[in-house]
Amino acid sequence: PYIDNMMHTGRQGFFAGGNVVQVYDLVDYVSEDSYTAGFNAGLYAQDKLDMAGDKIIIEAGRSIRSIVPNILRIGDREPAKEQKPVLSIRIAEPLKSSIRLSLSSENNNIADIKRPYAVPSEMIRLDLSKYTDKLVGKKKIRVDIEEVL
């Protein structure tokens, strides 16, 4: 399903976690995302979940097979303010040299993040918390990955 960073699906009031969302390589990631889904489902049931924040579409770009979440919500009120914007990324092919993940919006660079390598069997978890101020007001974010020679 398409989900946001609160694990909320495209159907109002439905949350998803675990392997129904994506194939995980570490049980820790399953636990984190499932906790997020359950926590936010509880807040939603109590009418305490901030769904009014900016809605940013996340687009998988060059060399990326899949990316979750597909939508990022950045809210101003509690508890959405506390939701860590973390992307789970799977690449399409092995990249054995140093790599660069690029975040951009409307062809404007937001950030470049370097990693030593990337392989399809290992999920890349990218915490966007330190870029939140650069994401506010954006409608779409594209994530690309490339080898740096």
Side-chain angles (χ1 to χ4, degrees):
Y2 286 99
I3 61 166
D4 63 20
N5 53 303
M6 294 182 272
M7 307 305 283
H8 186 256
T9 69
R11 288 200 62 162
Q12 196 65 25
F14 283 79
F15 294 78
N19 286 333
V20 74
V21 174
Q22 65 184 334
V23 176
Y24 291 85
D25 53 349
L26 295 176
V27 72
D28 293 352
Y29 299 154
V30 176
S31 298
E32 286 175 24
D33 288 353
S34 296
Y35 174 84
T36 299
F39 179 78
N40 288 315
L43 291 174
Y44 182 88
Q46 299 172 55
D47 200 26
K48 293 181 180 177
L49 188 62
D50 181 9
M51 302 293 282
D54 289 342
K55 183 177 169 182
I56 305 166
I57 295 169
I58 306 296
E59 180 180 83
R62 183 177 349 110
S63 298
I64 295 178
R65 179 183 300 152
S66 67
I67 192 162
V68 172
N70 316 99
I71 297 168
L72 189 64
R73 291 182 189 271
I74 301 173
D76 296 328
R77 301 180 324 210
E78 303 297 337
K81 193 179 202 180
E82 297 175 1
Q83 300 295 323
K84 267 190 169 183
V86 176
L87 300 180
S88 296
I89 302 166
R90 291 267 188 203
I91 64 167
E93 57 197 46
L95 302 172
K96 296 180 181 173
S97 300
S98 296
I99 63 163
R100 177 177 47 234
L101 287 152
S102 299
L103 304 174
S104 60
S105 179
E106 299 174 7
N107 295 322
N108 294 315
N109 185 281
I110 295 171
D112 287 325
I113 300 105
K114 293 184 180 178
R115 298 280 173 103
Y117 70 95
V119 293
S121 61
E122 292 180 22
M123 184 180 292
I124 299 171
R125 295 279 280 191
L126 183 60
D127 184 351
L128 298 179
S129 296
K130 63 182 170 182
Y131 308 108
T132 303
D133 59 330
K134 295 179 180 181
L135 301 177
V136 173
K138 305 290 189 229
K139 299 293 180 205
K140 186 185 284 189
I141 301 295
R142 180 181 164 101
V143 182
D144 290 289
I145 190 168
E146 65 183 348
E147 281 186 301
V148 181
L149 304 175

